Amino acid sequence: MMIEVVDLTKSYGPIRALRGISFNVAPGEIVGLLGPNGAGKSTAMKILTGYLQPDDGIVKVDGLDVLTHRREIQARLGYLPENAPLYPEMTVQAYLLMMANLREIPPEEHLLYLSRAVYASGLADRLTQPIGQLSKGFRQRVGLAQAILHQPKLLILDEPTIGLDPTQIVEVRQLIRRLAPQSTILFSSHILSEVEAVCDRVIIIINGQVKADARLDELAATSDAVLVLQAKTDGVEQALKSLAGVTEVEPISVPDGHPAYRVHGAEEDNLCPAIYNLARRENWPVRELRRDVRTLETVFNELATAISNEEIEEEIVEEEMAMEEAQS
Ligand code: ATP
């Protein structure tokens, strides 16, 4: 495994930023760490890169423990922090040369390494410009160039497209994709479409916990079917519920106002053929019958809503306990 994280916890005083997260990343994977603001993504990345100590848990990069092999790990990885510390008065070239020295790349190899990174990040015509005079998109490219300079096995990119305009976002995504064949990439984002565009796999972190870890196609897969009728028909819900494999039938609203139902199944089976046969037998005025494919956005919203409900319930329980204590 390129990354192994087991039961990782981290608190900042009373704030429990990571509440026991576990995940693995295999060599060559592009994995998106997705979560709302404050979910714990940056904290996890800072621990992986050795900039922050974990409270508890096991964290290994390329088989090495972050607690005991910080330097070796840092030599193997490239890191684009959330706020890349760039030096505004330095030219792009001087900055990358400084980074090459810090990375202990032998001087005779500087030209080779620099030109590779500069070419990959599209910086060739900006080399002599001071970093402070670059647009945000180009500064982000400088950050990426320093992260890939020493050809690391692992790239950790914290919100690489934040604050960029749509064209720059597309360029940075393409750059990440171009880098992919040589590296394992873990990058964070709170933009669902971005993760969908770039990653093979997504790990959803909400409130310091891993709430989903799956390939994108697996996450969106569902056995649900959606049935839309031309007109209101009696007994539909009941009849659907009696079908083998159906666990729940939920009336839903569709844009044109026709009667519609989402039919949940227990297995990964396709329920549509059975629903089709039933509808023909019963002479239902079927307008549409399809398998329901969830977008990552639906999954994410479902998870986020479930979490906020859980939190509200926790708060109620805590309040009740406090009241009971006060009364006794
Ligand atoms: P964002 O997308 O906003 O960057 P994130 O998922 O990266 O969020 P973190 O930055 O890891 O989340 O923050 C997790 C939690 O820890 C948040 O509640 C945050 O306020 C808190 N936190 C982060 N860094 C510190 C710190 N240095 N001191 C105190 N609290 C912190």
Side-chain angles (χ1 to χ4, degrees):
M1 280 296 148
M2 185 54 76
I3 296 177
E4 282 176 77
V5 174
V6 185
D7 265 338
L8 170 62
T9 58
K10 176 74 191 174
S11 293
Y12 302 98
I15 299 167
R16 291 167 69 204
L18 297 176
R19 303 170 178 227
I21 63 164
S22 302
F23 63 89
N24 289 331
V25 177
E29 274 191 301
I30 308 183
V31 176
L33 214 50
L34 180 68
N37 290 129
K41 305 179 297 290
S42 299
T43 302
M45 289 183 149
K46 282 179 195 156
I47 293 172
L48 277 166
T49 52
Y51 288 93
L52 200 61
Q53 289 261 338
D55 290 346
D56 213 344
I58 300 168
V59 180
K60 287 185 182 171
V61 173
D62 204 15
L64 303 170
D65 196 306
V66 286
L67 289 178
T68 49
H69 293 79
R70 189 163 168 262
R71 265 183 76 85
E72 293 92 325
I73 289 173
Q74 286 186 344
R76 285 168 163 76
L77 65 80
Y79 176 38
L80 177 73
E82 211 172 5
N83 305 304
L86 301 176
Y87 299 82
E89 71 289 352
M90 266 187 163
T91 63
V92 173
Q93 182 174 299
Y95 170 72
L96 291 177
L97 266 173
M98 178 184 81
M99 294 309 292
N101 280 318
L102 281 176
R103 287 290 186 189
E104 295 175 1
I105 296 169
E108 64 276 16
E109 308 261 11
H110 279 182
L111 187 61
L112 177 68
Y113 278 76
L114 248 72
S115 43
R116 238 178 344 219
V118 163
Y119 173 74
S121 42
L123 280 170
D125 52 359
R126 307 284 158 149
L127 283 177
T128 54
Q129 222 170 319
I131 293 170
Q133 287 177 14
L134 295 175
S135 68
K136 192 154 172 39
F138 274 100
R139 280 207 298 278
Q140 198 70 339
R141 288 174 190 225
V142 178
L144 278 166
Q146 68 75 26
I148 61 174
L149 187 59
H150 53 304
Q151 298 218 292
K153 283 179 159 181
L154 172 64
L155 265 177
I156 297 192
L157 311 173
D158 198 351
E159 307 237 12
T161 61
I162 201 158
L164 303 186
D165 71 30
T167 320
Q168 294 165 338
I169 288 177
V170 171
E171 283 172 8
V172 168
R173 282 185 198 160
Q174 284 170 345
L175 172 59
I176 295 173
R177 273 266 165 216
R178 271 208 306 278
L179 297 172
Q182 296 96 36
S183 298
T184 307
I185 302 178
L186 179 69
F187 87 92
S188 70
S189 175
H190 57 266
I191 308 166
L192 305 152
S193 54
E194 175 154 290
V195 172
E196 267 176 327
V198 179
C199 298
D200 309 320
R201 211 177 105 209
V202 60
I203 297 172
I204 298 181
I205 296 194
I206 299 177
N207 205 9
Q209 291 161 292
V210 172
K211 286 294 160 184
D213 178 349
R215 289 187 56 85
L216 286 170
D217 45 356
E218 287 169 2
L219 209 59
T222 154
S223 62
D224 295 356
V226 170
L227 173 70
V228 184
L229 300 179
Q230 281 292 2
K232 204 166 161 15
T233 311
D234 288 335
V236 172
E237 210 172 319
Q238 219 38 50
L240 287 170
K241 274 184 187 156
S242 63
L243 276 180
V246 170
T247 54
E248 204 190 329
V249 179
E250 179 194 353
I252 54 170
S253 58
V254 288
D256 51 12
H258 289 281
Y261 304 87
R262 178 174 288 116
V263 187
H264 299 279
E267 314 281 326
E268 282 301 293
D269 292 344
N270 181 2
L271 294 169
C272 289
I275 296 172
Y276 174 75
N277 288 335
L278 175 69
R280 279 196 60 172
R281 262 199 324 271
E282 301 289 332
N283 252 333
W284 290 342
V286 175
R287 183 179 168 86
E288 192 185 336
L289 173 63
R290 59 180 158 84
R291 287 193 85 172
D292 191 22
V293 177
R294 297 187 300 175
T295 60
L296 188 54
E297 187 156 5
T298 323
V299 177
F300 187 66
N301 287 338
E302 280 172 9
L303 287 169
T305 317
I307 298 288
S308 50
N309 289 345
E310 249 174 51
E311 274 174 5
I312 293 167
E313 277 165 28
E314 262 176 39
E315 268 174 36
I316 293 171
V317 171
E318 275 170 23
E319 269 174 31
E320 281 174 355
M321 279 166 58
M323 274 168 68
E324 272 170 27
E325 257 175 44
Q327 278 166 2
S328 63

